[in-house]
Amino acid sequence: MKLLQDRIRRDGVIKSGNVLKVDSFLNHQMDIELLNEVGKEFKRIFEGYPINKILTIEASGIGIACITAQYFKVPVVFAKKAQSINIDGAVYSAKIESFTHKKTYDVIVSKKFISPEDRILIIDDFLANGCALAGLIDIVRSAGAAVEGIGIVIEKGFQSGGELIRNMGVRLESLAIVESMNAENGTIEFRE
Amino acid sequence: MKLLQDRIRRDGVIKSGNVLKVDSFLNHQMDIELLNEVGKEFKRIFEGYPINKILTIEASGIGIACITAQYFKVPVVFAKKAQSINIDGAVYSAKIESFTHKKTYDVIVSKKFISPEDRILIIDDFLANGCALAGLIDIVRSAGAAVEGIGIVIEKGFQSGGELIRNMGVRLESLAIVESMNAENGTIEFRE
């Protein structure tokens, strides 16, 4: 998606340790016009798929998922990162190791909101090591529901997550795949 | 907002300890059509205000803020609940005591994303004791920016937050104000 690549080149900041900061338009401040283009592109890619629900994970996936859901006319469910007194009853859970935060945490989804008849599109902002996605796929499959596809805004193509998830037999589409980036001179290359 | 009150009566679940669960349509599973009506209503209420940015707090405020932002044609910034390696540089911060989670945490916003010229609409899903809102107001004012208004989906009118925030001289509008609720018989009364 050229619009997105151009925006990453213009406003993304490459930091040492393979960190790509896109917090000025994607995951701290959010450019809603850009998210609308992202949502339309996911709809174009997954047109005709019998998707009836979008699943994402807090926090930065939520905005993208909600804007995208308008084009699919389906509800959004977001996985929560910690047990809350407001989630009672049975939950599906998965353990996730965060690349960003260097720690492991549990994510949960109430069993009320994923059923065997659900056909789910998973949406997230970043794909790096794939742990978050693998956890979400595990939750969907635990519920007996189907993962129709996965839509990612930015994939770090030089990390192992993309291969891990594609090897699970799921259609994974990333709108921008970073092939390499260089914190010293600020250059970034995308996979075509 | 009658549509919202009707939905709370139909799908909300009242639990002991003054907990109102609306996780089937607002803050775990999200009904995007309803959120669009919420966004339109906030636009109607704050029509003519010179709002150039929406501020919310992760996680459940984000979806509402993003959908609402489409009607204002402005970006969204969400306050984050913990220090991340992806937020560096200077941040505005505030301490918040969560009614839901019974704990205190820091919320932060990068100084890059609030400037003195910003005129901000704060959006959140719930108002109970007002701590989260007071923290967000504090962050906006620390930046020298202006709070043009606050839009809340559900206010617990029997808790002190509404009075606390209105006494700060900010225009606060809640789309549904719960006057009282009864966990034993499941009844709920709204302020008219």
Side-chain angles (χ1 to χ4, degrees), chain B residues 15-163:
Chain B
K15 314 284 279 191
S16 61
N18 278 331
V19 172
L20 174 61
K21 283 168 60 92
V22 289
D23 59 352
S24 66
F25 59 95
L26 190 65
N27 51 21
H28 185 15
Q29 181 166 256
M30 288 175 287
D31 178 336
I32 304 299
E33 282 185 43
L34 176 68
L35 293 197
N36 266 298
E37 296 305 317
V38 162
K40 284 179 206 169
E41 183 67 6
F42 284 138
K43 177 61 180 170
R44 192 189 64 75
I45 291 170
F46 292 102
E47 184 70 57
Y49 284 60
I51 291 157
N52 74 329
K53 195 167 279 186
I54 288 177
L55 176 67
T56 188
I57 181 167
E58 69 176 24
S60 40
I62 298 174
I64 301 158
C66 286
I67 297 291
T68 297
Q70 295 175 312
Y71 298 98
F72 288 86
K73 301 190 190 310
V74 300
V76 171
V77 173
F78 66 89
K80 301 196 173 198
K81 281 183 180 166
Q83 190 69 37
S84 156
I85 63 160
N86 267 355
I87 295 203
D88 53 14
V91 297
Y92 299 109
S93 71
K95 282 211 181 299
I96 290 181
E97 186 183 346
S98 166
F99 173 78
T100 309
H101 298 92
K102 314 285 189 211
K103 66 180 179 186
T104 300
Y105 51 89
D106 291 296
V107 295
I108 54 175
V109 176
S110 168
K111 288 192 176 182
K112 290 183 293 184
F113 304 131
I114 309 186
S115 307
E117 64 272 19
D118 283 331
R119 308 187 73 89
I120 290 176
L121 175 64
I122 296 175
I123 293 284
D124 207 359
D125 58 338
F126 262 97
L127 168 56
N129 64 22
C131 268
L133 278 189
L136 294 179
I137 292 169
D138 187 44
I139 283 172
V140 172
R141 292 181 172 172
S142 297
V147 178
E148 285 291 325
I150 299 176
I152 296 294
V153 182
I154 302 174
E155 176 179 339
K156 289 174 167 172
F158 51 86
Q159 287 186 242
S160 58
E163 191 179 359

Side-chain angles (χ1 to χ4, degrees), chain A residues 13 15 19-21 23-33 35-36 53 56 58-60 62-67 69-71 73-80 82-88 99-103 108-110 112-114, chain B residues 13 15 19-21 23-33 35-36 53 56 58-60 62-67 69-71 73-80 82-88 99-103 108-110 112-114:
Chain A
V13 178
K15 314 283 279 192
V19 171
L20 174 61
K21 283 169 59 92
D23 58 353
S24 66
F25 59 94
L26 190 65
N27 52 20
H28 186 15
Q29 181 166 257
M30 288 175 287
D31 178 336
I32 305 299
E33 281 184 44
L35 293 196
N36 266 297
K53 194 167 280 185
T56 187
E58 68 175 25
S60 41
I62 297 174
I64 301 157
C66 286
I67 298 290
Q70 296 175 310
Y71 298 98
K73 300 187 191 309
V74 300
V76 170
V77 173
F78 66 88
K80 302 197 174 197
Q83 189 70 38
S84 157
I85 64 163
N86 267 355
I87 294 203
D88 53 15
F99 173 76
T100 309
H101 297 91
K102 314 284 187 212
K103 65 180 182 186
I108 55 175
V109 176
S110 169
K112 290 183 292 182
F113 304 130
I114 308 185
Chain B
V13 178
K15 314 284 279 191
V19 172
L20 174 61
K21 283 168 60 92
D23 59 352
S24 66
F25 59 95
L26 190 65
N27 51 21
H28 185 15
Q29 181 166 256
M30 288 175 287
D31 178 336
I32 304 299
E33 282 185 43
L35 293 197
N36 266 298
K53 195 167 279 186
T56 188
E58 69 176 24
S60 40
I62 298 174
I64 301 158
C66 286
I67 297 291
Q70 295 175 312
Y71 298 98
K73 301 190 190 310
V74 300
V76 171
V77 173
F78 66 89
K80 301 196 173 198
Q83 190 69 37
S84 156
I85 63 160
N86 267 355
I87 295 203
D88 53 14
F99 173 78
T100 309
H101 298 92
K102 314 285 189 211
K103 66 180 179 186
I108 54 175
V109 176
S110 168
K112 290 183 293 184
F113 304 131
I114 309 186

